[in-house]
Amino acid sequence: MVHWKEHGPVLAAGDFPYASPGGSWAGQVVEANGKYYYYVTLDRKDNGEHTVDVAVSDSPTGPFRPARKDGTPLITDGMTPDSYRPNADIDPTVLIDDDGTPWLAWGNGDCYMVKLKKNMIELDGEVKKVPMRNYSEGPWLFKRGKYYYNVYAADAPGVQPEQMCYSMAESVEGPWRFGGYLTTSANHGFTIHPSVIEFGGKWYFIYHDGSYSQNGEPGGDCRRSVCAEFLHFNPDGTIRPIRLTQEGLTLSDED
């Protein structure tokens, strides 16, 4: 978690024939069936609508190639006609449950979820809207013990920039209960999106802000910096609020 090696680009929006080469959004890589699946948000060239699609590789460092042989997106706007925001189909996250069942969640303004087939590239059920309090975008599904968690960018009353919230459940299909706010807004920029991982026996909260500077100026929303903090749970499974720092993981786990 200290020393990182750059591997260069592993996938481009233009690798999908129907997608605009200049439009790509948040994504997630998951390992399954001995391969790595990269779930991405794309813009269509023909009508500008958002889609969610998937690429595959034998290595987490790529190269990745589109996984669906028929060349169609995995998720299209036509599957989410009841969203109150027109660009609903962004920011995919995938959780592989203990029984091997993959679940896909995504959404802007509304959170959607669907079961995937175990081949990771086809839907295996009905797309459902999942109520998430204060939900905005950028969901991240994970499981710890008996609880499922969805950490997501949230609309905070009276605050313009996004903050982080979470909900938890004892079944991936709910019911979900609101856990509260995890963070304040990012130090720079409007958006803040999460990742949560366990590594080396500790839990980490990884997110972005706009603090990447150029000529002494922070980057805002379009030049983002990867940030990380330790994540802690209470005995009842709830998550402790996270203080966003400039030092990140250079602080001790107890600081």
Side-chain angles (χ1 to χ4, degrees):
M1 297 292 287
V2 176
H3 302 291
W4 297 86
K5 179 181 178 181
E6 183 180 350
H7 293 275
V10 300
L11 180 67
D15 293 337
F16 295 83
Y18 68 84
S20 170
S24 60
W25 303 64
Q28 181 182 351
V29 175
V30 295
E31 183 181 5
N33 310 323
K35 295 184 181 296
Y36 296 85
Y37 295 87
Y38 193 173
Y39 295 84
V40 296
T41 308
L42 302 165
D43 296 339
R44 295 185 68 105
K45 286 189 291 190
D46 55 359
N47 59 18
E49 290 182 351
H50 292 84
T51 70
V52 173
D53 214 331
V54 56
V56 65
S57 175
D58 293 326
S59 166
T61 58
F64 285 83
R65 63 188 185 279
R68 288 170 56 81
K69 302 304 182 185
D70 63 0
T72 62
L74 182 64
I75 299 292
T76 65
D77 278 353
M79 299 176 184
T80 56
D82 57 347
S83 176
Y84 83 94
R85 292 183 183 172
N87 56 339
D89 300 309
I90 64 172
D91 302 346
T93 178
V94 171
L95 166 72
I96 301 177
D97 208 350
D98 296 338
D99 64 358
T101 302
W103 292 88
L104 171 70
W106 73 98
N108 182 12
D110 295 291
C111 184
Y112 292 92
M113 188 178 296
V114 69
K115 187 187 337 182
L116 299 177
K117 293 184 178 180
K118 293 188 178 180
N119 65 11
M120 305 298 289
I121 64 172
E122 295 178 274
L123 305 187
D124 191 23
E126 178 187 355
V127 172
K128 296 181 180 180
K129 185 187 291 188
V130 184
M132 294 285 171
R133 179 175 163 185
N134 296 92
Y135 178 89
S136 178
E137 57 183 348
W140 185 277
L141 291 174
F142 71 99
K143 188 181 183 186
R144 176 183 177 269
K146 69 177 183 178
Y147 291 114
Y148 297 83
Y149 298 84
N150 187 9
V151 180
Y152 50 90
D155 296 318
V159 179
Q160 281 297 313
E162 295 173 340
Q163 299 186 26
M164 295 304 312
C165 281
Y166 79 100
S167 292
M168 57 192 296
E170 292 191 36
S171 166
V172 70
E173 297 186 79
W176 293 86
R177 62 184 175 92
F178 184 65
Y181 285 89
L182 279 183
T183 74
T184 60
S185 302
N187 291 323
H188 299 281
F190 179 85
T191 64
I192 179 171
H193 285 188
S195 318
V196 175
I197 64 168
E198 183 184 17
F199 179 72
K202 294 184 177 182
W203 286 85
Y204 297 89
F205 174 78
I206 303 170
Y207 67 103
H208 75 248
D209 70 7
S211 63
Y212 187 84
S213 62
Q214 188 175 57
N215 299 323
E217 295 294 329
D221 278 331
C222 295
R223 193 171 64 247
R224 298 172 177 175
S225 180
V226 177
C227 311
E229 305 285 355
F230 293 103
L231 186 71
H232 298 283
F233 296 85
N234 295 310
D236 63 356
T238 57
I239 308 176
R240 299 179 195 172
I242 301 165
R243 181 171 64 93
L244 304 181
T245 67
Q246 292 295 319
E247 298 84 2
L249 300 183
T250 61
L251 294 174
S252 75
D253 197 9
E254 286 74 34
D255 289 333

